[in-house]
C-alpha cells in the first residue's frame, strides 16, 4: 500500500494497518475498477470505500437502504475529520434544500480541496431513483468520484432482503459509465453474487471474497431446558455489557424483556409492530449504552452498527445458517472476545417449516414452480442448520464449510472444541460413501446414496442398473439413520460437496475426498448415537478476560469518561472511541499526547479534541 493510503488511514481513522481483506479491495477501487467486496459482518467494509474516497478528487455517493443508520455514519465520519452529509426522506424540505445548496456550490467551483467541503453523501436508493432518477441525473453536474452501493445483496430477488428499488441501480452505470462502483455485502451465496454483478451493470468487475471467519466470536449451542435460568446464568457473565437476543415471535420478545427487567437487567423489546418513534428510542438507547439488552425479532437487523455488542443469543432457532451467521456476526465487530449462544429446541423447526410453507419468506416470485423451488431450498437450508446444532464437530469448521471455506485445524474457541464428543475412525465408512457417490457418477443426493449402501432394490435403482454395482448393499450392517448421519458429517467436514440446483441436490467428490479414497489420512467421525441429537449443556468456561484487574479499573473509568463526552456531544459512545481503543489505552497506558496518538482508533482530529481529557484519567 502506498504511503498516502496509510497516512490517511491513521489521520482519519486512527488505524496503523489495513486488514488483509481490505487491501485488495482498496487497491482495486484506487485503480478505477468496478469492484464487488464480500465480507462478513464486522469485517470492516466501510473503510473499503471511505478510505479511497479521501484519496480521490470528488464526491463519493454512498447508497444504503438503512436510513436509520445514515445519521450515525455521518456523525462518525465528521468526528474523524471527513465532512459527510445524508440526503433522504427522513429530512425536512429545508434540510434537503440545504444539501442541494451545497451540491450546487460544488457544481460551480469544482471540488478539489475537499477538506473545506463535503466528501461523502449518503442516500437511499429511493431518493436517488425517484421521479425517473431525477436526483441521479442531477448528480451529473457534480464532480462524483465513486459510487459505493452498500448491502448490495438487496438487488437480488434470491436474497433474503430483496428491495425492488435496488434492481433499478443499474442506471448508475448507464449515467456514469466512467465512475467506479464498489458494491459491498455480507451475503456470500453464488446466485446473489452473480445477480449483483449483472443488475448493477458492473464493467469487468473484480470480486473479492474475504474469509468469513470471525475468530473473536465463541460459538455455543445448548439444549433449551430451563431457559430462563440458562439465560440468567449466561448474562450474569456480562455485567453492563451490550447484547442482543433474537426471538421468533413478537410475543416472546416482550416476555423475555420483562423477565430480564425483573432480573435487574435493562432490556427492551424490538419488533415490527412497535410504534416507530418507540423503536427509534429503543435503538438509540441501546446505541448509547443506556439499555443493555435488546430482545428482538429479526426486524432488528440489517446493519446494526454497534461495535461493542458482547453477546448474541438465539432464543429460538434461526431460519438458516446464513441468518444465524449474520445475526451472530453482530457481536464483536470491534474484534474483542464475544459470545454467541443458541438455545436449541427442535420444536422450533416445526414453526419455521410452517413459515416456509405459508410463503412467509418467499418474497416476490413469478411462477408456482419458482415458488415451490424456493420453498424446497428453504427447507434444505433449515436441515443444514439443524445439522449444525447437532454436530459433534468444531462449530466454526461446520459454519465456514457451509460458506465453502476449509479450516486446517479445529478452532479451539467453540463448545465442541472445549468438550469434544468421542470420535471413531470413520475412514472406512467415508470410503464406502464416497465410492457409492463415485460409481453413480456424482449425480445423486443423500437418500439415494444411502439406499445404494443399504441395497434397497426399488424401481428406480433397478432402472438405473445400480443394483449391479459392487457398492450396492455393502452397508447393510448399519441402519439408514446412521448412514444419513455419517453422510451429513462428511458434508459438514467438507469431505464431500453438496450442490443445490433447484429441486435437485447432488453429492460430489472433491480434492479432500480423493485423499480419503486413496487411503491417505484418518477421517474422524462422531459415533452415531440416536441421542446425540440434542446438544448437551456446555460447561466450558467463559472467554478469557483480556484485561488484568488493574487495567479493568482504568477501562471502567475511561468508559465513564466516554459516556460523559457522548452525552455532552449527543452522539453514541462509540462515535467518540470504540471499546477496542479503550482497551488499548488501558493496556498501554500512554503518558503523553505523542503516545496517545499511537492508540488504535486515534486519528488526527480526535487526538486534538480528546487526548487531554483521556490522558488525565489514565495518568491519575
Ligand atoms: P462491516 O460494515 O463490514 O460490518 P465495519 O465497517 O462497521 O464492518 O467495521 C467493523 C469495525 O472494525 C469498526 O469498529 C471499524 O472501525 C473496525 N475496523 C475496520 N477496519 C479496521 C482496521 N484496518 N483496523 C482496525 N479496526 C478496523
Ligand atoms: Zn471449534
Amino acid at each position: 500500500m502506498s504511503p498516502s493510503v496509510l497516512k490517511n488511514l491513521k489521520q482519519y481513522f486512527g488505524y496503523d494497518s489495513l486488514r488483509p481483506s481490505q487491501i485488495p479491495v482498496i487497491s482495486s477501487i484506487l485503480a478505477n475498477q468496478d469492484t464487488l467486496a464480500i465480507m462478513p459482518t464486522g469485517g470492516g467494509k466501510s473503510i473499503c470505500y471511505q478510505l479511497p474516497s479521501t484519496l480521490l478528487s470528488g464526491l463519493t455517493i454512498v447508497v444504503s437502504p438503512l436510513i436509520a443508520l445514515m445519521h450515525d455514519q455521518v456523525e462518525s465520519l465528521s468526528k474523524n475529520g471527513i465532512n459527510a452529509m445524508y440526503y433522504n426522506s427522513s429530512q425536512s424540505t429545508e434540510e434537503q434544500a440545504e444539501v442541494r445548496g451545497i451540491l450546487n456550490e460544488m457544481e460551480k467551483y469544482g471540488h478539489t480541496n475537499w477538506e473545506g467541503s463535503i466528501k461523502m453523501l449518503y442516500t437511499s436508493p429511493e431518493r436517488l431513483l425517484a421521479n425517473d432518477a431525477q436526483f441521479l441525473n442531477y448528480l451529473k453536474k457534480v464532480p462524483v468520484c465513486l459510487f459505493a452501493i452498500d448491502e448490495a445483496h438487496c438487488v437480488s430477488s434470491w436474497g433474503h432482503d430483496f428491495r425492488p428499488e435496488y434492481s433499478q441501480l443499474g442506471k448508475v452505470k448507464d449515467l456514469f459509465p466512467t465512475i467506479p462502483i464498489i458494491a459491498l455485502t455480507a451475503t456470500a451465496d453464488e446466485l446473489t453474487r452473480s445477480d449483483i454483478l449483472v443488475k448493477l451493470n458492473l464493467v469487468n468487475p473484480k470480486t473479492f471474497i474475504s474469509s468469513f471467519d470471525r475468530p473473536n466470536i465463541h460459538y455455543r449451542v445448548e439444549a433449551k431446558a430451563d431457559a430462563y435460568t440458562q439465560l440468567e446464568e449466561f448474562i450474569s457473565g456480562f455485567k453492563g455489557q451490550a447484547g442482543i437476543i433474537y426471538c421468533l415471535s413478537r410475543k416472546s420478545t416482550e416476555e423475555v424483556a420483562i423477565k430480564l427487567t425483573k432480573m435487574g437487567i435493562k432490556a427492551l423489546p424490538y419488533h415490527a409492530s412497535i410504534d416507530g418513534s418507540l423503536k427509534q428510542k429503543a435503538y438509540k438507547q441501546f446505541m448509547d449504552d443506556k439499555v443493555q439488552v435488546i430482545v428482538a425479532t429479526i426486524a432488528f437487523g440489517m446493519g446494526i452498527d454497534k461495535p461493542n455488542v458482547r453477546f448474541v443469543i438465539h432464543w429460538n432457532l434461526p431460519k438458516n445458517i446464513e441468518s444465524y451467521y449474520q445475526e451472530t456476526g453482530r457481536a464483536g465487530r470491534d474484534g474483542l472476545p464475544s459470545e454467541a449462544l443458541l438455545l436449541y429446541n427442535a420444536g422450533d423447526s416445526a414453526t419455521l417449516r410452517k413459515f416456509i410453507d405459508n410463503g412467509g419468506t418467499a418474497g416476490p416470485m413469478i411462477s408456482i414452480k419458482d415458488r415451490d423451488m424456493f420453498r424446497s431450498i428453504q427447507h434444505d437450508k433449515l436441515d443444514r442448520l439443524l445439522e449444525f446444532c447437532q454436530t459433534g464437530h468444531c462449530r466454526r469448521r461446520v459454519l465456514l464449510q457451509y460458506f465453502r471455506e476449509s479450516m486446517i485445524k479445529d478452532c479451539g474457541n467453540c463448545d465442541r472444541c472445549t468438550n469434544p464428543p468421542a470420535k471413531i475412525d470413520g475412514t472406512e465408512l467415508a470410503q464406502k460413501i464416497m465410492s457409492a457417490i463415485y460409481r453413480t457418477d456424482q449425480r445423486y443426493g443423500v437418500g439415494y446414496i444411502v439406499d445404494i449402501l443399504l441395497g434397497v432394490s426399488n424401481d428406480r435403482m433397478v432402472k438405473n442398473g445400480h443394483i449391479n454395482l459392487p457398492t450396492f448393499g455393502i452397508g447393510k450392517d448399519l441402519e439408514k439413520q446412521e448412514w444419513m448421519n455419517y453422510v451429513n458429517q462428511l458434508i459438514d467436514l467438507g469431505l464431500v460437496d453438496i450442490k443445490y440446483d433447484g429441486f435437485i441436490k447432488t453429492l460430489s467428490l472433491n480434492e479432500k475426498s480423493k485423499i480419503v479414497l486413496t487411503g491417505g489420512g484418518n477421517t474422524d467421525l462422531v459415533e452415531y448415537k440416536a441421542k446425540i441429537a440434542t446438544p448437551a449443556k456446555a460447561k466450558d468456561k467463559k472467554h478469557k478476560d483480556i484485561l488484568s484487574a488493574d487495567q479493568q479499573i482504568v477501562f471502567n473509568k475511561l468508559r465513564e469518561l466516554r459516556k460523559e463526552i457522548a452525552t455532552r456531544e449527543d452522539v453514541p459512545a462509540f462515535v467518540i472511541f470504540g471499546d477496542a481503543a479503550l482497551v488499548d489505552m488501558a493496556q498501554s497506558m500512554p503518558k503523553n499526547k505523542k503516545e496517545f496518538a499511537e492508540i488504535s482508533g486515534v486519528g488526527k482530529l480526535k487526538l486534538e479534541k480528546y487526548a487531554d481529557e483521556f490522558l488525565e484519567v489514565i495518568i491519575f
Side-chain angles (χ1 to χ4, degrees), residues 171-379:
K171 288 200 177 125
V172 172
K173 191 88 251 177
D174 295 345
L175 288 174
F176 295 84
T178 58
I179 307 295
I181 296 179
I182 159 121
L184 307 110
T185 175
T187 301
D189 82 79
E190 275 168 50
L191 225 46
T192 309
R193 214 186 293 159
S194 52
D195 248 10
I196 295 174
L197 300 179
V198 172
K199 297 247 171 72
L200 293 181
N201 282 332
L202 300 191
V203 179
N204 296 325
K206 285 216 166 146
T207 301
F208 299 97
I209 305 169
S210 313
S211 164
F212 265 58
D213 191 12
R214 298 288 310 282
N216 59 318
I217 300 180
H218 176 276
Y219 298 99
R220 183 202 300 212
V221 181
E222 270 180 25
K224 195 171 180 181
D226 183 359
Y228 285 120
T229 312
Q230 286 170 287
L231 189 64
E232 190 163 13
E233 255 176 47
F234 181 82
I235 294 191
S236 66
F238 294 91
K239 284 225 159 39
Q241 293 181 311
I244 304 174
I245 303 179
Y246 283 109
C247 302
L248 209 52
S249 73
R250 296 169 190 184
K251 191 159 148 263
S252 47
T253 62
E254 312 226 332
E255 285 168 2
V256 174
I258 289 172
K259 269 277 199 252
L260 286 172
T261 310
K262 283 192 184 143
M263 293 173 196
I265 292 162
K266 279 194 187 153
L268 283 178
Y270 190 104
H271 55 71
S273 48
I274 287 181
D275 177 68
S277 63
L278 277 179
K279 239 182 344 207
Q280 247 179 11
K281 203 169 142 206
Y283 177 76
K284 184 160 177 0
Q285 287 188 309
F286 182 62
M287 295 305 260
D288 293 351
D289 287 328
K290 288 179 182 135
V291 159
Q292 189 191 345
V293 179
I294 287 284
V295 191
T297 57
I298 48 171
F300 190 65
M302 203 158 65
I304 294 312
D305 234 348
K306 187 173 167 61
N308 61 339
V309 173
R310 289 278 74 84
F311 63 88
V312 168
I313 299 175
H314 281 89
W315 186 250
N316 301 101
L317 275 183
K319 62 183 188 204
N320 53 43
I321 290 186
E322 283 98 333
S323 313
Y324 171 74
Y325 207 65
Q326 197 162 49
E327 284 147 20
T328 54
R330 296 189 180 120
R333 281 176 174 228
D334 53 14
L336 299 179
S338 309
E339 290 264 345
L341 170 69
L342 191 162
L343 293 172
Y344 171 82
N345 171 13
D348 289 342
S349 62
T351 315
L352 286 167
R353 290 201 195 279
K354 233 189 274 164
F355 277 157
I356 298 172
D357 290 332
N358 294 338
T361 52
M365 284 298 147
I366 355 144
S367 68
I368 298 224
K369 181 162 169 278
D370 269 356
R371 187 201 67 191
D372 289 348
M373 195 157 82
F374 181 83
R375 289 180 184 174
S376 148
I377 293 174
Q378 301 308 309
H379 281 295

Side-chain angles (χ1 to χ4, degrees), residues 15 17-19 22 40-47 305 307 333-334:
Y15 300 130
S17 57
L18 286 168
R19 294 179 177 157
Q22 293 170 328
T41 311
K45 282 185 282 298
S46 330
I47 282 185
D305 234 348
R333 281 176 174 228
D334 53 14

Side-chain angles (χ1 to χ4, degrees), residues 254-516:
E254 312 226 332
E255 285 168 2
V256 174
I258 289 172
K259 269 277 199 252
L260 286 172
T261 310
K262 283 192 184 143
M263 293 173 196
I265 292 162
K266 279 194 187 153
L268 283 178
Y270 190 104
H271 55 71
S273 48
I274 287 181
D275 177 68
S277 63
L278 277 179
K279 239 182 344 207
Q280 247 179 11
K281 203 169 142 206
Y283 177 76
K284 184 160 177 0
Q285 287 188 309
F286 182 62
M287 295 305 260
D288 293 351
D289 287 328
K290 288 179 182 135
V291 159
Q292 189 191 345
V293 179
I294 287 284
V295 191
T297 57
I298 48 171
F300 190 65
M302 203 158 65
I304 294 312
D305 234 348
K306 187 173 167 61
N308 61 339
V309 173
R310 289 278 74 84
F311 63 88
V312 168
I313 299 175
H314 281 89
W315 186 250
N316 301 101
L317 275 183
K319 62 183 188 204
N320 53 43
I321 290 186
E322 283 98 333
S323 313
Y324 171 74
Y325 207 65
Q326 197 162 49
E327 284 147 20
T328 54
R330 296 189 180 120
R333 281 176 174 228
D334 53 14
L336 299 179
S338 309
E339 290 264 345
L341 170 69
L342 191 162
L343 293 172
Y344 171 82
N345 171 13
D348 289 342
S349 62
T351 315
L352 286 167
R353 290 201 195 279
K354 233 189 274 164
F355 277 157
I356 298 172
D357 290 332
N358 294 338
T361 52
M365 284 298 147
I366 355 144
S367 68
I368 298 224
K369 181 162 169 278
D370 269 356
R371 187 201 67 191
D372 289 348
M373 195 157 82
F374 181 83
R375 289 180 184 174
S376 148
I377 293 174
Q378 301 308 309
H379 281 295
D380 289 340
K381 288 188 169 186
L382 179 55
D383 290 341
R384 292 290 296 276
L385 176 83
L386 293 170
E387 279 156 36
F388 163 76
C389 292
Q390 295 163 13
T391 188
H393 297 280
C394 168
R395 304 255 182 226
R396 192 179 313 272
R397 185 183 283 281
V398 176
L399 288 171
L400 291 180
Q401 192 58 52
Y402 183 85
F403 298 112
R404 305 203 169 260
E405 197 175 323
S406 296
M407 281 171 44
I408 299 161
K409 57 180 183 26
D410 288 351
C411 78
N413 191 26
C414 75
D415 56 353
R416 285 302 188 226
C417 281
T418 326
N419 284 314
K423 305 257 168 74
I424 53 168
D425 179 359
T427 312
E428 215 180 294
L429 295 169
Q431 286 170 338
K432 285 181 181 168
I433 293 167
M434 289 171 184
S435 101
I437 296 172
Y438 179 72
R439 287 178 189 279
T440 51
D441 299 326
Q442 315 187 54
R443 286 172 46 211
Y444 297 90
V446 183
Y448 194 86
I449 295 298
V450 169
D451 280 350
I452 294 206
L453 295 167
L454 293 171
V456 176
S457 52
N458 54 27
D459 290 351
R460 191 172 169 217
M461 200 67 77
V462 175
K463 201 173 114 227
N464 291 338
H466 288 153
I467 51 171
N468 303 318
L469 292 177
T471 26
F472 188 77
I474 52 166
K476 282 189 174 147
D477 51 326
L478 300 185
E479 300 286 325
K480 183 169 181 147
Q481 279 314 314
E482 294 175 73
W483 279 118
M484 300 283 278
N485 178 275
Y486 292 131
V487 177
N488 283 326
Q489 289 192 49
L490 296 187
I491 298 171
D492 282 348
L493 294 172
L495 293 171
V496 304
D497 288 339
I498 183 159
K499 292 204 182 77
Y500 297 89
D501 181 10
F503 289 112
I504 304 155
K505 274 175 295 180
T506 51
L507 295 174
S508 56
L509 303 181
N510 56 32
E511 290 306 310
K512 285 197 200 167
S513 342
K514 282 180 200 147
I515 298 174
V516 176

Side-chain angles (χ1 to χ4, degrees), residues 99 119 131 246 299 304 322 371 431 503 533 569 579 600 616:
V99 177
K119 188 66 211 162
N131 304 328
Y246 283 109
I304 294 312
E322 283 98 333
R371 187 201 67 191
Q431 286 170 338
F503 289 112
E569 301 191 0
D579 278 11
S600 170
E616 199 173 323

